[in-house]
């Protein structure tokens, strides 16, 4: 597998998917190698965790990477594809559209190649209008032409490939684990948070997550619930600084930075509401995780979120600050409604999305079934 940043790591949704797939495949008796990027953690070198050779039985190889914005994915996928082309692998799994620009190389050497499109990355704000966007779109076209199978995570993206290229794809959504809900300890000590005292956003701090109008909507709420924005910047601190400037003067808004481990689990376990106001998503693993912890969720009406939650969460009109504010205020005023959504969330999401199903369906594609 290649195209991710690093495992074990929670630098993004792709890394979670690669970790779940690879470790579960190893547990089933298969040999799996993941090609990790070099360079530093996306949220800063203080989160670097070294370069292990293995993780839960998965072979890890670090590839040469130019650790600069726009070049890291390009260079790491080039060198990883070159190495796997000459490796003794039965299947090569590319993750994300940009890395797929090199998919033709292992295909040239007779490898069976599968690509997972985690989202239409060329649409993301940070890449728009530049070389990176064109390169990612090129990777999309290479996958269409050369991949033996393309996996998509939403019906919307499946329709896009059919309408744009006439290419059939396989719809295999992500999975989720059933977690253990834990009490607030670290988050109380570090941020003054207790159970049901905050609205949570947890994800990468990037423009397409809708954070601009989340902050604006929240500042107009009549509530004593705090807003917790948990996550690290991606590639640049510019947008993080913009969001902090928008929040300036409202001491109810807390920025935790990148979180993992017990702190992450406590944030999910004790939120009053989880919100994901995204304009663009692939398939948001943070939403699946939030629901698995039994959260009442508020999400935008983009297909990638609405398809996940169905009628088990509150949905607002994408990019509509007023509608978001009204939905949040409604829930802040109605704790019984929040409890209703919470009571249904875990069972619904854990039955709907299973990592075991994802692994089995992916293995079938490797075998050409």
């Amino acid at each position: 597998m290649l195209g991710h940043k690093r495992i074990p790591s929670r630098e993004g949704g792709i890394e979670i998917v690669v970790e779940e797939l690879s470790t579960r495949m190893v547990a089933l008796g298969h040999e799996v190698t993941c090609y990790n990027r070099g360079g530093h953690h996306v949220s800063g070198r203080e989160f670097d965790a070294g370069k292990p050779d293995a993780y839960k039985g998965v072979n890890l190889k670090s590839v040469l990477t130019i650790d600069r914005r726009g070049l890291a994915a390009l260079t790491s996928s080039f060198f990883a594809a070159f190495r796997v082309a000459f490796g003794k692998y039965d299947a090569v799994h590319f993750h994300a559209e940009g890395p797929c620009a090199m998919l033709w190389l292992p295909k040239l050497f007779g490898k069976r190649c599968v690509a997972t499109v985690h989202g239409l990355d060329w649409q993301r704000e940070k890449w728009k209008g530049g070389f990176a966007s064109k390169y990612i779109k090129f990777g999309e076209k290479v996958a269409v032409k050369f991949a033996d199978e393309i996996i998509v995570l939403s019906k919307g993206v499946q329709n896009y490939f059919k309408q744009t290229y006439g290419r059939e794809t396989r719809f295999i959504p992500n999975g989720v684990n059933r977690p253990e809900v834990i009490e607030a300890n670290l988050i109380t000590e570090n941020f003054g948070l207790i159970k049901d005292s905050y609205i949570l956003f947890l994800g990468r701090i990037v423009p397409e997550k809708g954070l601009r109008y989340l902050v604006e909507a929240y500042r107009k709420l009549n509530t004593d619930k705090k807003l917790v924005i948990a996550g690290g910047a991606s590639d640049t601190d510019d947008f993080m600084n913009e969001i902090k400037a928008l929040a300036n003067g409202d001491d109810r808004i807390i920025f935790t930075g990148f979180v993992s481990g017990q702190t992450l689990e406590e944030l999910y376990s004790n939120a009053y509401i989880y919100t994901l106001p995204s304009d663009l998503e692939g398939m948001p693993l943070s939403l699946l995780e939030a629901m698995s912890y039994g959260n009442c969720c508020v999400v935008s009406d983009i297909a990638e979120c609405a398809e996940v939650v169905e009628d088990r969460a509150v949905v607002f009109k994408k990019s509509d600050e007023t509608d978001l504010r009204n939905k949040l205020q409604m829930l802040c005023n109605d704790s019984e409604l929040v409890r209703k959504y919470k009571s249904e969330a875990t069972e619904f999401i854990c039955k709907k999305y299973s990592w075991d199903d994802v692994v089995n369906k992916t293995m079938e594609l490797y075998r050409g079934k």
Side-chain angles (χ1 to χ4, degrees):
M1 296 191 192
L2 63 102
H4 59 287
K5 295 180 183 73
R6 281 158 288 269
I7 67 163
S9 166
R10 286 189 62 98
E11 295 180 65
I14 293 175
E15 287 68 47
I16 297 171
V17 173
V18 171
E19 180 177 331
E20 291 286 351
L21 290 179
S22 61
T23 56
R24 289 168 183 270
M25 288 176 183
V26 166
L28 292 172
H30 304 288
E31 186 175 349
V32 182
T33 300
C34 290
Y35 283 82
N36 285 347
R37 282 190 200 176
H40 298 292
H41 191 285
V42 69
S43 294
R45 63 183 64 201
E46 64 269 27
F47 299 106
D48 289 351
K51 296 180 180 179
D53 295 326
Y55 173 69
K56 294 185 177 180
V58 179
N59 301 314
L60 300 180
K61 296 184 183 295
S62 184
V63 295
L64 182 64
T65 304
I66 299 176
D67 194 20
R68 294 182 60 186
R69 184 174 183 263
L71 291 177
L74 188 157
T75 54
S76 61
S77 58
F78 170 80
F79 288 110
F82 184 82
R83 290 174 67 174
V84 300
F86 295 96
K88 295 182 179 180
Y89 302 115
D90 300 306
V92 181
H93 195 153
F94 283 74
H95 289 268
E97 291 189 322
C100 285
M102 295 304 302
L103 187 147
W104 61 271
L105 183 56
K107 185 65 183 173
L108 184 67
F109 283 81
K111 303 295 191 296
R112 182 168 178 80
C113 293
V114 173
T116 294
V117 175
H118 292 262
L120 302 179
D121 292 335
W122 52 269
Q123 295 180 347
R124 298 189 186 279
E125 185 171 320
K126 68 177 180 177
W127 303 130
K128 279 186 177 179
F131 169 77
S133 177
K134 293 181 176 64
Y135 183 80
I136 293 168
K137 194 70 177 286
F138 172 69
E140 176 179 291
K141 293 177 180 178
V142 171
V144 166
K145 185 173 182 179
F146 292 104
D148 292 286
E149 297 285 358
I150 297 176
I151 297 170
V152 296
L153 307 182
S154 73
K155 295 292 187 180
V157 174
Q158 188 170 46
N159 291 336
Y160 165 80
F161 275 90
K162 181 64 174 176
Q163 293 168 8
T164 305
Y165 303 105
R167 173 70 197 244
E168 297 292 343
T169 58
R170 301 294 188 100
F171 172 58
I172 306 179
N174 291 326
V176 70
N177 297 311
R178 186 183 295 265
E180 179 184 352
V181 175
I182 60 177
E183 295 181 354
N185 289 301
L186 290 179
I187 61 172
T188 303
E189 179 183 335
N190 295 327
F191 308 112
L193 301 171
I194 59 174
K195 187 168 182 61
D196 289 338
S197 69
Y198 57 95
I199 299 165
L200 175 65
F201 167 88
L202 196 153
R204 289 177 301 116
I205 311 303
V206 292
E208 59 268 19
K209 295 290 186 181
L211 286 163
R212 291 186 180 103
Y213 52 87
L214 172 59
V215 171
E216 294 288 1
Y218 173 78
R219 292 187 63 141
K220 297 169 185 173
L221 288 183
N222 178 21
T223 183
D224 60 356
K225 307 292 185 190
K226 296 178 180 179
L227 173 62
V228 175
I229 298 177
S234 181
D235 293 315
T236 175
D237 289 328
D238 292 348
F239 185 69
M240 175 72 85
N241 293 335
E242 178 187 337
I243 295 302
K244 287 184 176 179
L246 282 176
N248 189 39
D250 192 331
D251 58 9
R252 300 175 301 164
I253 303 177
I254 298 171
F255 292 86
T256 69
F258 176 78
V259 292
S260 61
Q262 184 178 336
T263 299
L264 177 94
E265 295 165 10
E266 289 184 16
L267 285 171
Y268 274 139
S269 294
N270 296 283
Y272 181 69
I273 296 167
Y274 172 84
T275 185
L276 186 66
S278 297
D279 293 326
L280 178 69
E281 285 286 351
M283 184 184 184
L285 274 166
S286 60
L287 175 57
L288 271 64
E289 290 178 340
M291 292 192 78
S292 74
Y293 277 89
N295 275 292
C296 170
C297 296
V298 179
V299 301
S300 59
D301 63 357
I302 62 173
E304 291 78 5
C305 290
E307 288 175 9
V308 169
V309 301
E310 298 182 21
D311 61 349
R312 307 304 173 95
V314 175
V315 178
F316 73 95
K317 187 176 179 181
K318 182 189 81 167
S319 303
D320 190 326
E321 177 198 322
T322 301
D323 194 28
L324 174 57
R325 182 176 75 246
N326 291 340
K327 297 292 171 57
L328 290 174
Q329 190 68 67
M330 174 187 73
L331 293 170
C332 286
N333 295 343
D334 192 344
S335 59
E336 285 300 319
L337 182 58
V338 171
R339 273 194 283 271
K340 175 183 178 295
Y341 281 113
K342 283 176 176 281
S343 68
E344 299 172 348
T346 301
E347 202 62 30
F348 166 75
I349 207 72
C350 290
K351 281 186 176 180
K352 186 176 180 181
Y353 298 107
S354 162
W355 279 122
D356 290 336
D357 288 344
V358 175
V359 170
N360 290 336
K361 290 176 181 177
T362 304
M363 291 299 304
E364 288 178 0
L365 297 190
Y366 291 171
R367 299 185 182 106
K369 295 183 179 180

